Amino acid sequence: MNREIYEKYEIIDAHAHIFPPKIAEKATVNVGKFYDLHMDSCGMSKRLIDGGNKIGVSKYLVCSTATVPHQVRSINEFIAEECAANPEFLGFGTTHPKSEDIEGDIDQIIELGLHGVKLHPDFQAFDADSAEAFGIYEMIAGRLPLLIHCGDPRYDWSAPLKIRKIAENFPNLKIQAAHLGGYQRWDEAQEFLTGFDNVFVDICSSLSFMSPEKAAERIKGFGVEKCFFGCDFPMWNHESELELFLRTGFSEEENRMILAENFKNFYNL
């Protein structure tokens, strides 16, 4: 890609995963197996930054998911350490519905200076609209935004209709609904998740599965002002994801909104 094409834009990666170096390769392989997809890279901070530098990414939302409760505190500490070492990182902590001290997990996230909570119902095996999950949302509404994985054709844990119930019941909870609101369930996402003041979407792990015209249609369905660019690192690489996005045909002003401005407004940066 001609560097002049993207040098005129500020670019923020709204969705990236990083893992401790000792387990990064294994964790990346396991994610690839879960989705039966080739992983473009290995989920290490340096590789994330190296990839982002190719298109001039200025900031990254970084996170990791606790698949079992005992991982929560160490993951949050790891994310905080990586943010301290890399000022371009904006870190999200995690918790788990089966954690023995969810309130303590949330307090830790705030004390560490992290900016939100990442949940992945499919990895963590819980219904996004369950009573135990609602307990988490109640604790963070008005305090921390939620980045939640949405959609999978194999499971209903994070189905768009369940994300809708979160938005309806917690209007004060700022929600970043991942993957255009529903990975490979995009029609449902359009049906159930548009029109909410508190629901925004990132577009990662979506553009490779649809035509530029369909991607533009779905982004417009949510509202250009409600969409964030992201790469779902280490799943995809920054250059190819940016190229796919620019094929959608939005105006330069709309590109600026999706590539950075919407994210900055949402997270008060």
Side-chain angles (χ1 to χ4, degrees), residues 105-246:
D105 297 341
I106 303 304
D107 288 342
Q108 182 202 29
I109 289 170
I110 294 172
E111 289 168 3
L112 289 171
L114 300 177
H115 291 80
V117 176
K118 166 65 187 295
L119 295 175
H120 195 309
D122 299 335
F123 282 175
Q124 295 176 301
F126 72 90
D127 279 311
D129 62 347
S130 64
E132 57 186 359
F134 269 39
I136 297 175
Y137 312 142
E138 185 173 3
M139 287 183 196
I140 66 174
R143 302 170 70 198
L144 292 167
L146 171 70
L147 167 56
I148 187 164
H149 170 91
C150 303
D152 191 308
R154 302 168 296 176
Y155 315 107
D156 278 335
W157 302 111
S158 62
L161 180 57
K162 296 188 175 187
I163 308 303
R164 178 188 180 95
K165 293 178 182 177
I166 304 171
E168 290 175 332
N169 282 275
F170 301 93
N172 198 34
L173 175 61
K174 295 171 68 173
I175 301 169
Q176 179 178 331
H179 319 310
L180 270 174
Y183 175 70
Q184 296 198 26
R185 299 178 75 155
W186 292 293
D187 289 342
E188 293 173 57
Q190 291 283 293
E191 179 180 358
F192 296 124
L193 291 178
T194 56
F196 288 95
D197 290 339
N198 59 331
V199 176
F200 287 62
V201 298
D202 63 51
I203 65 174
C204 69
S205 284
S206 300
L207 303 181
S208 294
F209 299 94
M210 61 188 76
S211 69
E213 295 76 18
K214 180 58 72 172
E217 176 187 323
R218 286 172 168 149
I219 289 170
K220 291 174 183 176
F222 283 104
V224 170
E225 74 283 359
K226 289 197 160 191
C227 297
F228 311 145
F229 176 77
C231 292
D232 211 7
F233 175 89
M235 191 81 76
W236 314 101
N237 76 73
H238 291 86
E239 289 180 289
S240 62
E241 287 299 287
L242 180 60
E243 184 172 356
L244 288 172
F245 169 68
L246 292 176

Side-chain angles (χ1 to χ4, degrees), residues 72-128:
V72 168
R73 301 294 175 94
S74 61
I75 286 175
N76 292 340
E77 290 170 358
F78 163 70
I79 295 292
E81 290 168 359
E82 291 300 300
C83 290
N86 301 282
E88 59 267 61
F89 285 179
L90 182 145
F92 267 44
T94 190
T95 185
H96 194 290
K98 297 191 184 308
S99 171
E100 294 181 357
D101 185 13
I102 294 174
E103 186 172 359
D105 297 341
I106 303 304
D107 288 342
Q108 182 202 29
I109 289 170
I110 294 172
E111 289 168 3
L112 289 171
L114 300 177
H115 291 80
V117 176
K118 166 65 187 295
L119 295 175
H120 195 309
D122 299 335
F123 282 175
Q124 295 176 301
F126 72 90
D127 279 311

